Amino acid sequence: MCKYKPISEKYPHFLHGGDYNPDQWLNYPKILDEDIRLMKLANWNVVSLGIFAWAALEPEEGKYQFECLDRIMDKLYDNGIYVILATPSAAPPAWLVDKYPEVARVDSNRVRHLFGGRQNHCFTSPIYREKVRSINRKLAERYKDHPALIAWHVSNEYGNDCHCDLCQEAFRNWLKKKYDNDIKRLNHEWWSHFWSHTFTDWSQIQTPSPHGETTIHGLNLDYKRFVTDQTIDFFKNEIAPLKELTPNIPITTNFMGTFPGLNYWKFAKHLDVISWDSYPTWHGNEEDWVVAYKTAFVHDINRSLKGGQPFMLMESTPSVTNWQPVSKLKRPGMHVLSSIQAVAHGADTVQYFQWRKSRGGFEKFHGAVVDHCGHENTRVFKDVKEVGEILKRLDPIIGTSVKPEVAIIYDWENSWAIEDAKGPRQEKKDYLLTCQSNYRPFWSKGITVDVIDMESDFNRYKLLIAPMLYMLKDGVAERIKQFVKNGGTFVTTYLSGIVNENDLCYLGGFPGPLKEILGIWSEEIDALHDKDENCVAFDEDNELGISGEYKAKELCEIIHLEGAKALAKYKEDFYVGFPAVTVNSYGEGKAYYIAFRNNDDFVDDFYGKIIELLNIKRSIDIDLPIGVTAQLRTDGNRQFIFLLNFTDEEKALDLKDIEYIDIVDNGILSGKVVLPPYGFKIIEKRN
């Protein structure tokens, strides 16, 4: 079965709503009633409330003002609108920073920040933790039994680090724990005798700084791990009173896609439900269907973070952002399509930032449901209303998920290590883009994919893909070997098996612990200039049945066979004739190695053959034109298929002679179906 409980039993339907900031409009007494009228018209059923409201809720230390929030909560509930209530720690009030300046964060230049911005606090500060717990307890005590409360939105977009004396000491204590209080072991794992960086006392260790130490990769990596752990520890302090007083109210915080500052795989374990903020750049320099598969990749990460459990689309823009280089309007159809895309990949909510445009401040020109004109007679409002109408018809999809046969490893710590490495290129390392490139052929064929980290369970998949698996933590290679030995198919690429979890290079040849399973030895890697190209040609009668030649760019690894078979070879330069694609039989399975960076034509052809060989199931067995995908959600019995057209052209599909029910329009579909520009269908096979 692939069925999960709804986010809240109080309202077991799709949630549709978003950020609501009535604290900005306290001097406009009639605006609440007008907001509620408009929310009902827009088919909203939930708001995220109080995200930056600390100054309104506690205008002076220890003096709380909840009466206005009481009135708002009551009125919303009386009108059928539920509340995801936020804790306000992301933006402390001025009085707090003025009285306790030590709560402000210190940046890597060792400069303590003044009041302002957001997430501008020290996550170690005992005073800040105490003040956060105090207001969170007050909120939980006051609203624990309020019928409108369905979830907690804790803080907002965690993301900053701190380098104050408290954090320095906390980092040293974290290191002592990791290295068993053995500084000699730390020196070895950091290889700190390089450049005479050996430490003889824990007090000598400082967090990375541009005018201090930045060249010890083990230090940089451990500091990033510490920031994740310390942020989680701060989060646990925040939620303690919520867990105590409202144990049945789910808790979330909004993630930011592939934000590099935190390892969301570790953070996810402490959330009841995953939520994230999605802001693609539609209609920009890339074709919309390219933006779509990259966005889908991140949706799939968020579904995978808790093993397939549906997630919350906590923020998206109903029209534009105000912070992207070019804030282009969503073209007609795109808002509805991009909202349904999130649902197709596992979202049980569609939410926005923001409800009403602010009159002033940093985000006064950020998209909103209600524009500065203040009424419903806008294109954007109508789009939002339409999304709400569609979601009302999708109740059978609530809580459904999918069990893919394919997984791609995208690992935050691996990304950190690759970005910090000095070579083989300083630019265009492109770990994320490479993972997305390997994901695209499956998206294009309508095959669902989990996006996991290297510590996840591999055994549920037929095919495991690990692009640029530069770092191998202890035990990962052994689990990959067991996966293949038991009949799984493993694919990895250049720049894999290079370092251990502390960024020490493996000795004895690359790809380190993966040499045996891959049956190769990687001797060198050639970094090409952007103008350079090589060429890779498949051998005649290779077992994949691929013919033709493919461009090699940017990175070309020079490998030797140690048991594997060559499927394709380089055609140019001094490594002409060397293997470029290999396969190695291992136990009941196979392991493939791709030694060069390639273009879309290669991954299309390569994975197309792998899909055929493994008989990997598609969401629907039809041909999909370029720019159209099919995604699946199921409860184990009923299968809901999302057909999504991310182009500005009509696209025709052939459903053959099978009859499907259109879930939105309740009609019957068969044979030829035309998706309009930025159009979609949600269908279920008719019994």
Side-chain angles (χ1 to χ4, degrees), residues 241-272:
L242 312 181
K243 285 290 188 183
E244 175 191 344
L245 296 169
T246 59
N248 297 319
I249 301 295
I251 288 174
T252 191
T253 189
N254 44 337
F255 289 164
M256 297 178 285
T258 55
F259 170 67
L262 295 170
N263 181 352
Y264 286 155
W265 281 100
K266 293 192 74 173
F267 209 144
K269 298 172 185 176
H270 302 278
L271 303 181
D272 296 318

Side-chain angles (χ1 to χ4, degrees), residues 239-308:
I239 68 173
L242 312 181
K243 285 290 188 183
E244 175 191 344
L245 296 169
T246 59
N248 297 319
I249 301 295
I251 288 174
T252 191
T253 189
N254 44 337
F255 289 164
M256 297 178 285
T258 55
F259 170 67
L262 295 170
N263 181 352
Y264 286 155
W265 281 100
K266 293 192 74 173
F267 209 144
K269 298 172 185 176
H270 302 278
L271 303 181
D272 296 318
V273 59
I274 301 299
S275 66
W276 85 284
D277 301 345
S278 178
Y279 292 104
T281 305
W282 301 113
H283 322 305
N285 294 325
E286 295 180 305
E287 292 184 79
D288 286 325
W289 68 268
V290 174
V291 178
Y293 80 72
K294 292 179 179 179
T295 305
F297 179 87
V298 186
H299 283 317
D300 286 345
I301 290 176
N302 284 278
R303 188 195 64 242
S304 303
L305 281 170
K306 293 189 83 69

Side-chain angles (χ1 to χ4, degrees), residues 58-295:
E58 190 181 6
E60 298 178 46
E61 185 174 16
K63 294 183 179 180
Y64 299 97
Q65 293 182 354
F66 292 118
E67 293 76 16
C68 185
L69 185 56
D70 291 345
R71 183 168 59 89
I72 293 166
M73 294 271 288
D74 291 344
K75 277 208 166 189
L76 288 167
Y77 181 71
D78 289 344
N79 285 274
I81 299 167
Y82 290 86
V83 172
I84 301 169
L85 190 57
T87 65
S89 66
W95 63 258
L96 197 157
V97 180
D98 184 54
K99 185 171 182 179
Y100 306 103
E102 64 270 34
V103 306
R105 66 183 286 262
V106 172
D107 63 29
S108 60
N109 288 306
R110 307 303 192 259
V111 175
R112 189 175 294 279
H113 285 202
L114 302 174
F115 168 75
R118 63 188 200 186
Q119 292 295 344
N120 188 22
H121 57 77
C122 169
F123 49 23
T124 304
S125 166
I127 293 174
Y128 196 66
R129 290 187 175 209
E130 174 193 334
K131 295 302 178 185
V132 168
R133 280 178 67 112
S134 293
I135 194 165
N136 290 3
R137 178 168 289 278
K138 291 290 184 182
L139 287 166
E141 287 173 343
R142 194 168 188 97
Y143 299 109
K144 61 185 175 66
D145 297 318
H146 200 290
L149 179 64
I150 61 171
W152 287 106
H153 181 309
V154 180
S155 193
N156 185 75
E157 297 183 338
Y158 286 105
N160 282 329
D161 55 3
C162 182
H163 299 258
C164 73
D165 290 344
L166 289 171
C167 292
Q168 299 287 350
E169 193 59 32
F171 179 48
R172 294 181 194 113
N173 289 334
W174 186 93
L175 293 171
K176 288 177 185 178
K177 183 177 180 180
K178 176 178 179 181
Y179 294 107
D180 299 322
N181 209 29
D182 185 349
I183 201 164
K184 290 183 179 179
R185 182 181 163 207
L186 175 142
N187 280 311
H188 176 269
E189 295 301 317
W190 286 4
W191 213 250
S192 57
H193 43 275
F194 181 79
W195 284 358
S196 191
H197 284 160
T198 304
F199 298 101
T200 57
D201 190 87
W202 297 98
S203 63
Q204 297 164 357
I205 299 173
Q206 298 282 329
T207 57
S209 170
H211 56 261
E213 184 53 75
T214 60
T215 61
I216 299 177
H217 297 300
L219 166 63
N220 298 339
L221 195 54
D222 274 344
Y223 179 68
K224 288 181 178 294
R225 290 168 173 151
F226 162 76
V227 169
T228 290
D229 287 352
Q230 197 72 346
T231 302
I232 291 170
D233 192 62
F234 180 86
F235 171 81
K236 289 165 70 176
N237 173 80
E238 277 217 63
I239 68 173
L242 312 181
K243 285 290 188 183
E244 175 191 344
L245 296 169
T246 59
N248 297 319
I249 301 295
I251 288 174
T252 191
T253 189
N254 44 337
F255 289 164
M256 297 178 285
T258 55
F259 170 67
L262 295 170
N263 181 352
Y264 286 155
W265 281 100
K266 293 192 74 173
F267 209 144
K269 298 172 185 176
H270 302 278
L271 303 181
D272 296 318
V273 59
I274 301 299
S275 66
W276 85 284
D277 301 345
S278 178
Y279 292 104
T281 305
W282 301 113
H283 322 305
N285 294 325
E286 295 180 305
E287 292 184 79
D288 286 325
W289 68 268
V290 174
V291 178
Y293 80 72
K294 292 179 179 179
T295 305

Side-chain angles (χ1 to χ4, degrees), residues 402-574:
V402 68
K403 290 186 176 179
E405 297 177 311
V406 181
I408 293 178
I409 293 177
Y410 174 81
D411 189 283
W412 261 267
E413 295 193 8
N414 186 52
S415 178
W416 295 340
I418 290 171
E419 287 305 311
D420 203 31
K422 301 306 172 191
R425 288 177 62 109
Q426 301 308 311
E427 297 178 345
K428 294 187 178 180
K429 294 178 182 178
D430 290 344
Y431 172 57
L432 172 60
L433 288 175
T434 303
C435 290
Q436 290 171 329
S437 173
N438 282 258
Y439 170 90
R440 186 190 56 77
F442 300 94
W443 181 89
S444 297
K445 290 181 178 294
I447 294 170
T448 58
V449 176
D450 276 349
V451 183
I452 62 175
D453 76 339
M454 71 175 79
E455 297 183 69
S456 297
D457 181 11
F458 306 147
N459 293 321
R460 60 187 288 188
Y461 306 106
K462 280 186 178 180
L463 174 61
L464 176 65
I465 303 167
M468 297 175 68
L469 195 58
Y470 173 81
M471 173 196 290
L472 278 171
K473 294 182 180 179
D474 285 349
V476 172
E478 288 72 22
R479 291 191 297 113
I480 292 173
K481 289 177 184 177
Q482 195 61 46
F483 167 78
V484 178
K485 186 179 288 186
N486 292 341
T489 298
F490 176 64
V491 179
T492 190
T493 73
Y494 53 88
L495 213 66
S496 290
I498 307 298
V499 300
N500 70 6
E501 65 181 29
N502 291 318
D503 217 0
L504 289 181
C505 291
Y506 285 110
L507 302 179
F510 302 135
L514 296 176
K515 280 183 66 183
E516 177 188 343
I517 187 177
L518 292 166
I520 62 164
W521 166 45
S522 172
E523 182 180 6
E524 295 181 276
I525 186 164
D526 192 14
L528 307 185
H529 292 286
D530 289 351
K531 63 181 177 61
D532 297 337
E533 286 182 357
N534 203 319
C535 186
V536 167
F538 272 84
D539 294 346
E540 291 186 14
D541 302 322
N542 67 83
E543 64 178 63
L544 288 180
I546 300 175
S547 60
E549 299 180 355
Y550 300 88
K551 289 181 180 179
K553 58 182 184 179
E554 295 174 359
L555 295 170
C556 295
E557 211 160 76
I558 302 166
I559 63 175
H560 303 268
L561 301 177
E562 293 189 347
K565 295 179 186 175
L567 301 177
K569 299 183 180 73
Y570 292 108
K571 286 194 68 178
E572 299 173 10
D573 220 318
F574 71 92

